[in-house]
PDB file of all heavy atoms in Angstrom:
ATOM      1  N   GLU A 398     142.021 123.426  61.969  1.00  0.00           N
ATOM      2  CA  GLU A 398     141.997 123.619  60.506  1.00  0.00           C
ATOM      3  C   GLU A 398     140.972 122.815  59.821  1.00  0.00           C
ATOM      4  O   GLU A 398     140.241 123.297  58.916  1.00  0.00           O
ATOM      5  CB  GLU A 398     143.366 123.387  59.867  1.00  0.00           C
ATOM      6  CG  GLU A 398     144.446 124.401  60.361  1.00  0.00           C
ATOM      7  CD  GLU A 398     145.811 124.073  59.907  1.00  0.00           C
ATOM      8  OE1 GLU A 398     145.994 122.809  59.446  1.00  0.00           O
ATOM      9  OE2 GLU A 398     146.715 124.866  59.974  1.00  0.00           O
ATOM     10  N   LEU A 399     140.682 121.510  60.260  1.00  0.00           N
ATOM     11  CA  LEU A 399     139.762 120.692  59.603  1.00  0.00           C
ATOM     12  C   LEU A 399     138.288 121.063  59.990  1.00  0.00           C
ATOM     13  O   LEU A 399     137.410 120.858  59.285  1.00  0.00           O
ATOM     14  CB  LEU A 399     140.044 119.184  59.994  1.00  0.00           C
ATOM     15  CG  LEU A 399     141.320 118.597  59.489  1.00  0.00           C
ATOM     16  CD1 LEU A 399     141.550 117.207  60.105  1.00  0.00           C
ATOM     17  CD2 LEU A 399     141.148 118.391  57.953  1.00  0.00           C
ATOM     18  N   ILE A 400     138.153 121.482  61.206  1.00  0.00           N
ATOM     19  CA  ILE A 400     136.872 121.744  61.795  1.00  0.00           C
ATOM     20  C   ILE A 400     136.281 123.061  61.415  1.00  0.00           C
ATOM     21  O   ILE A 400     134.996 123.143  61.049  1.00  0.00           O
ATOM     22  CB  ILE A 400     136.918 121.737  63.359  1.00  0.00           C
ATOM     23  CG1 ILE A 400     137.138 120.278  63.867  1.00  0.00           C
ATOM     24  CG2 ILE A 400     135.578 122.307  63.971  1.00  0.00           C
ATOM     25  CD1 ILE A 400     137.598 120.202  65.244  1.00  0.00           C
ATOM     26  N   LYS A 401     137.058 124.126  61.307  1.00  0.00           N
ATOM     27  CA  LYS A 401     136.523 125.468  61.119  1.00  0.00           C
ATOM     28  C   LYS A 401     135.635 125.556  59.833  1.00  0.00           C
ATOM     29  O   LYS A 401     134.545 126.149  59.924  1.00  0.00           O
ATOM     30  CB  LYS A 401     137.752 126.439  60.953  1.00  0.00           C
ATOM     31  CG  LYS A 401     137.263 127.920  60.772  1.00  0.00           C
ATOM     32  CD  LYS A 401     138.450 128.912  60.699  1.00  0.00           C
ATOM     33  CE  LYS A 401     137.911 130.271  60.364  1.00  0.00           C
ATOM     34  NZ  LYS A 401     138.938 131.291  60.175  1.00  0.00           N
ATOM     35  N   PRO A 402     135.982 125.018  58.636  1.00  0.00           N
ATOM     36  CA  PRO A 402     135.095 125.103  57.489  1.00  0.00           C
ATOM     37  C   PRO A 402     133.798 124.460  57.644  1.00  0.00           C
ATOM     38  O   PRO A 402     132.805 124.759  57.001  1.00  0.00           O
ATOM     39  CB  PRO A 402     135.945 124.436  56.377  1.00  0.00           C
ATOM     40  CG  PRO A 402     137.335 124.411  56.877  1.00  0.00           C
ATOM     41  CD  PRO A 402     137.299 124.246  58.306  1.00  0.00           C
ATOM     42  N   LYS A 403     133.741 123.434  58.558  1.00  0.00           N
ATOM     43  CA  LYS A 403     132.547 122.664  58.764  1.00  0.00           C
ATOM     44  C   LYS A 403     131.646 123.102  59.987  1.00  0.00           C
ATOM     45  O   LYS A 403     130.614 122.550  60.269  1.00  0.00           O
ATOM     46  CB  LYS A 403     132.847 121.168  58.940  1.00  0.00           C
ATOM     47  CG  LYS A 403     133.487 120.545  57.790  1.00  0.00           C
ATOM     48  CD  LYS A 403     133.637 119.077  57.954  1.00  0.00           C
ATOM     49  CE  LYS A 403     134.210 118.304  56.747  1.00  0.00           C
ATOM     50  NZ  LYS A 403     134.285 116.863  56.887  1.00  0.00           N
ATOM     51  N   LEU A 404     132.150 124.139  60.651  1.00  0.00           N
ATOM     52  CA  LEU A 404     131.434 124.677  61.798  1.00  0.00           C
ATOM     53  C   LEU A 404     130.498 125.782  61.364  1.00  0.00           C
ATOM     54  O   LEU A 404     130.925 126.748  60.636  1.00  0.00           O
ATOM     55  CB  LEU A 404     132.498 125.259  62.758  1.00  0.00           C
ATOM     56  CG  LEU A 404     131.894 125.855  64.137  1.00  0.00           C
ATOM     57  CD1 LEU A 404     131.376 124.663  64.962  1.00  0.00           C
ATOM     58  CD2 LEU A 404     133.031 126.564  64.866  1.00  0.00           C
ATOM     59  N   ARG A 405     129.227 125.752  61.706  1.00  0.00           N
ATOM     60  CA  ARG A 405     128.259 126.704  61.238  1.00  0.00           C
ATOM     61  C   ARG A 405     128.561 128.130  61.940  1.00  0.00           C
ATOM     62  O   ARG A 405     129.189 128.205  63.044  1.00  0.00           O
ATOM     63  CB  ARG A 405     126.825 126.279  61.599  1.00  0.00           C
ATOM     64  CG  ARG A 405     126.530 126.235  63.070  1.00  0.00           C
ATOM     65  CD  ARG A 405     125.031 126.061  63.333  1.00  0.00           C
ATOM     66  NE  ARG A 405     124.626 125.904  64.656  1.00  0.00           N
ATOM     67  CZ  ARG A 405     124.504 126.913  65.601  1.00  0.00           C
ATOM     68  NH1 ARG A 405     124.739 128.146  65.237  1.00  0.00           N
ATOM     69  NH2 ARG A 405     124.185 126.640  66.825  1.00  0.00           N
ATOM     70  N   SER A 406     128.082 129.122  61.334  1.00  0.00           N
ATOM     71  CA  SER A 406     128.139 130.392  62.050  1.00  0.00           C
ATOM     72  C   SER A 406     127.292 130.388  63.277  1.00  0.00           C
ATOM     73  O   SER A 406     126.202 129.904  63.309  1.00  0.00           O
ATOM     74  CB  SER A 406     127.436 131.482  61.074  1.00  0.00           C
ATOM     75  OG  SER A 406     127.413 132.733  61.721  1.00  0.00           O
ATOM     76  N   GLY A 407     127.935 130.829  64.407  1.00  0.00           N
ATOM     77  CA  GLY A 407     127.285 130.756  65.745  1.00  0.00           C
ATOM     78  C   GLY A 407     127.639 129.390  66.402  1.00  0.00           C
ATOM     79  O   GLY A 407     127.296 129.195  67.630  1.00  0.00           O
ATOM     80  N   GLY A 408     128.346 128.561  65.735  1.00  0.00           N
ATOM     81  CA  GLY A 408     128.803 127.288  66.261  1.00  0.00           C
ATOM     82  C   GLY A 408     129.937 127.506  67.303  1.00  0.00           C
ATOM     83  O   GLY A 408     130.561 128.542  67.270  1.00  0.00           O
ATOM     84  N   VAL A 409     130.163 126.561  68.171  1.00  0.00           N
ATOM     85  CA  VAL A 409     131.037 126.703  69.307  1.00  0.00           C
ATOM     86  C   VAL A 409     132.097 125.493  69.269  1.00  0.00           C
ATOM     87  O   VAL A 409     131.688 124.431  69.092  1.00  0.00           O
ATOM     88  CB  VAL A 409     130.337 126.676  70.674  1.00  0.00           C
ATOM     89  CG1 VAL A 409     131.337 126.625  71.850  1.00  0.00           C
ATOM     90  CG2 VAL A 409     129.496 128.009  70.851  1.00  0.00           C
ATOM     91  N   ILE A 410     133.364 125.954  69.516  1.00  0.00           N
ATOM     92  CA  ILE A 410     134.436 124.950  69.752  1.00  0.00           C
ATOM     93  C   ILE A 410     134.929 125.103  71.175  1.00  0.00           C
ATOM     94  O   ILE A 410     135.149 126.159  71.666  1.00  0.00           O
ATOM     95  CB  ILE A 410     135.564 125.255  68.776  1.00  0.00           C
ATOM     96  CG1 ILE A 410     135.157 125.105  67.272  1.00  0.00           C
ATOM     97  CG2 ILE A 410     136.736 124.152  69.062  1.00  0.00           C
ATOM     98  CD1 ILE A 410     136.268 125.485  66.280  1.00  0.00           C
ATOM     99  N   LEU A 411     135.094 123.978  71.805  1.00  0.00           N
ATOM    100  CA  LEU A 411     135.763 123.955  73.114  1.00  0.00           C
ATOM    101  C   LEU A 411     137.038 123.094  73.022  1.00  0.00           C
ATOM    102  O   LEU A 411     136.944 122.050  72.592  1.00  0.00           O
ATOM    103  CB  LEU A 411     134.819 123.342  74.153  1.00  0.00           C
ATOM    104  CG  LEU A 411     133.467 124.048  74.402  1.00  0.00           C
ATOM    105  CD1 LEU A 411     132.487 123.090  75.044  1.00  0.00           C
ATOM    106  CD2 LEU A 411     133.691 125.244  75.327  1.00  0.00           C
ATOM    107  N   ILE A 412     138.202 123.734  73.412  1.00  0.00           N
ATOM    108  CA  ILE A 412     139.434 123.034  73.390  1.00  0.00           C
ATOM    109  C   ILE A 412     139.918 122.882  74.795  1.00  0.00           C
ATOM    110  O   ILE A 412     140.102 123.870  75.578  1.00  0.00           O
ATOM    111  CB  ILE A 412     140.485 123.766  72.517  1.00  0.00           C
ATOM    112  CG1 ILE A 412     139.910 124.115  71.126  1.00  0.00           C
ATOM    113  CG2 ILE A 412     141.746 122.989  72.354  1.00  0.00           C
ATOM    114  CD1 ILE A 412     140.845 124.982  70.249  1.00  0.00           C
TER     115      ILE A 412
END
Side-chain angles (χ1 to χ4, degrees):
E398 291 172 346
L399 290 169
I400 290 163
K401 184 181 175 182
K403 296 185 175 185
L404 185 71
R405 70 165 173 84
S406 176
V409 169
I410 301 173
L411 297 161
I412 308 178

